[in-house]
Amino acid sequence: MKESIERIFAELASLKAATQKDVEEARVRLLGKKGEITALMEQFRCIAPELKREYGQKLNELKKAATAKIEELKEAAEAAAEASEPKEDLSMPGDAFPLGSRHPVSIVRAQIVDIFRKFGYDVAEGPEIEDDYHVFEALNFPPNHPAREMQDTFFVSTGHLNPLLLRTHTSSVQVRTMESQSLPIRVVCPGRVFRNEAISARAHCIFHQVEGLYIDKDVTFADLKQAILLFAREMFGADTQIRMRPSYFPFTEPSAEVDVSCNICKGKGCNICKGTGWLEIMGCGMVDPNVLKASGIDPEKYSGFAFGMGVERIAMLKWQVNDLRHYFENDMRFLQEFATATEV
Ligand code: DAH
């Protein structure tokens, strides 16, 4: 037994194992269930009692030394294995984080506002929950006008003279601007509007408008026409033509509907313009004297024009989208088509 212990001690001193597999083999050979040191432990049980102390000590030392040696070799083999693993390839392309982009309605709203900013207009905003006075009364809507009815308007509170409602158009911001700002006034008012409509390819119960208002001395219909023409050319291209058709709005007199020449067929007639060569983009007119009076402006001294357009409608025409609902469903495949469409 003595020789065996000494032999194993000597062997431990020169034990080498290059790989993790070699280390494991050495461990099994020495310390495993059928290993050499385990076998010596077995033999130790049959040894003469007077020798037990000496051999017991030696055997424990041997086991400790073997365990420490195996541990040391294992660490070295692991480090070597790690060092020989292929290094990270720093020339590999990185993982791209998908970036969000602006919603097409936001892009077009910003384009409309930026065009009018260049013309010297300020931006004004007003509340989405409005009262009857600012949405209808001050805009010269007769008391029984159908737009006031439940089938058009979402009411928040009813039953009193000036009920609260979700604004059905951004024209209410005209009134608030006339009440609070000094003359002359030149503003565009972007915002959300709400109507009790069945959702379809052409209508939604929530959509966006940009309203415009210009009030000064001697403002004429010619100024209105020029402003709209310049806007249309900035928005749809330098060769765009406009035409105005007589229309009616309670808050403007005279009133008109504005069409732009179809930028797809260039006026020849296609399925987007339904063969007419023209696309309707907004309503407009000269601010009715009653509207000026309601907000304390003297119609003898001042005149003005106003216009209002649907942002989704402009976006549909600009990008030839034929179903309004695409703008509200937020299907990523649709939205991603506008990821680079940020130019004005
Ligand atoms: N408020 C109108 C609508 O929602 C749009 C509009 C038409 C606004 C003519 C105007 C205007 O300022 O002059 O349909």
Side-chain angles (χ1 to χ4, degrees):
M1 180 168 234
K2 196 174 174 188
E3 286 97 75
S4 298
I5 292 174
E6 267 154 22
R7 179 181 56 73
I8 296 173
F9 259 123
E11 203 182 298
L12 277 183
S14 59
L15 185 61
K16 285 203 175 69
T19 66
Q20 283 157 302
K21 190 166 158 264
D22 295 343
V23 178
E24 183 57 13
E25 271 170 20
R27 188 192 66 78
V28 171
R29 183 162 53 76
L30 297 170
L31 295 163
K33 260 194 195 154
K34 293 180 186 157
E36 291 176 34
I37 296 174
T38 319
L40 288 177
M41 294 290 204
E42 295 284 317
Q43 285 172 28
F44 174 72
R45 280 199 262 148
C46 322
I47 218 164
E50 63 275 20
L51 294 173
K52 276 216 156 143
R53 198 182 144 81
E54 184 190 342
Y55 281 107
Q57 238 170 23
K58 282 228 156 80
L59 264 178
N60 273 340
E61 275 166 25
L62 178 67
K63 193 172 174 187
K64 248 195 196 160
T67 310
K69 181 78 184 183
I70 295 286
E71 196 52 38
E72 177 191 312
L73 289 171
K74 196 171 152 197
E75 273 169 25
E78 273 171 8
E82 216 166 90
S84 69
E85 264 170 24
K87 290 268 179 302
E88 275 176 37
D89 181 356
L90 298 179
S91 67
M92 292 263 286
D95 289 335
F97 286 105
L99 275 184
S101 57
R102 296 181 79 187
H103 191 280
V105 170
S106 301
I107 294 171
V108 168
R109 186 191 49 205
Q111 287 178 342
I112 298 168
V113 168
D114 282 350
I115 291 169
F116 282 103
R117 268 219 188 97
K118 279 198 264 180
F119 299 166
Y121 286 66
D122 288 331
V123 176
E125 283 183 281
E128 292 178 347
I129 300 176
E130 258 295 4
D131 54 24
D132 180 276
Y133 176 79
H134 288 91
V135 175
F136 299 124
E137 189 75 34
L139 286 164
N140 201 34
F141 277 78
N144 293 318
H145 194 280
R148 291 182 171 200
E149 295 298 311
M150 278 293 219
Q151 57 263 36
D152 273 312
T153 309
F154 288 114
F155 285 91
V156 175
S157 69
T158 51
H160 40 85
L161 274 176
N162 190 20
L164 288 180
L165 43 88
L166 299 183
R167 65 180 179 197
T168 54
H169 55 183
T170 42
S171 304
S172 53
V173 188
Q174 284 189 17
V175 179
R176 292 200 172 268
T177 309
M178 288 188 283
E179 285 171 350
S180 64
Q181 288 189 19
S182 54
L183 296 162
I185 288 171
R186 221 185 291 165
V187 288
V188 276
C189 322
R192 271 201 303 188
V193 300
F194 309 83
R195 283 185 201 173
N196 193 359
E197 300 244 18
I199 294 169
S200 72
R202 305 180 59 113
H204 208 283
C205 54
I206 303 176
F207 57 100
H208 300 79
Q209 287 187 333
V210 176
E211 184 80 14
L213 178 68
Y214 190 158
I215 301 176
D216 202 348
K217 288 184 173 136
D218 304 322
V219 177
T220 68
F221 202 92
D223 299 318
L224 167 63
K225 213 171 144 189
Q226 187 64 14
I228 305 287
L229 177 66
L230 291 176
F231 164 74
R233 292 196 165 162
E234 289 276 328
M235 193 72 196
F236 295 105
D239 55 353
T240 305
Q241 302 291 326
I242 62 164
R243 74 173 183 187
M244 287 176 153
R245 287 176 287 111
S247 185
Y248 172 76
F249 299 102
F251 35 91
T252 44
E253 182 58 37
S255 305
E257 217 89 55
V258 181
D259 297 342
V260 291
S261 52
C262 180
N263 57 347
I264 296 140
C265 64
K266 304 284 172 219
K268 285 195 202 80
C270 66
N271 62 344
I272 300 283
C273 63
K274 304 212 180 62
T276 64
W278 295 96
L279 301 160
E280 187 186 317
I281 58 160
M282 67 170 92
C284 67
M286 300 306 291
V287 180
D288 193 291
N290 286 342
V291 173
L292 295 175
K293 263 191 251 165
S295 295
I297 297 172
D298 183 354
E300 299 297 327
K301 288 193 188 144
Y302 287 93
S303 56
F305 63 71
F307 54 87
M309 65 190 103
V311 179
E312 284 83 359
R313 167 119 189 115
I314 303 282
M316 282 169 83
L317 298 177
K318 198 172 161 65
W319 286 312
Q320 292 143 50
V321 173
N322 57 12
D323 193 325
L324 183 68
R325 287 168 291 196
H326 287 308
Y327 289 122
F328 299 93
E329 281 164 359
N330 288 332
D331 184 325
M332 290 294 282
R333 291 166 301 180
F334 177 72
L335 296 181
Q336 273 161 1
E337 295 202 20
F338 303 91
T340 53
T342 48
E343 97 292 348
V344 170

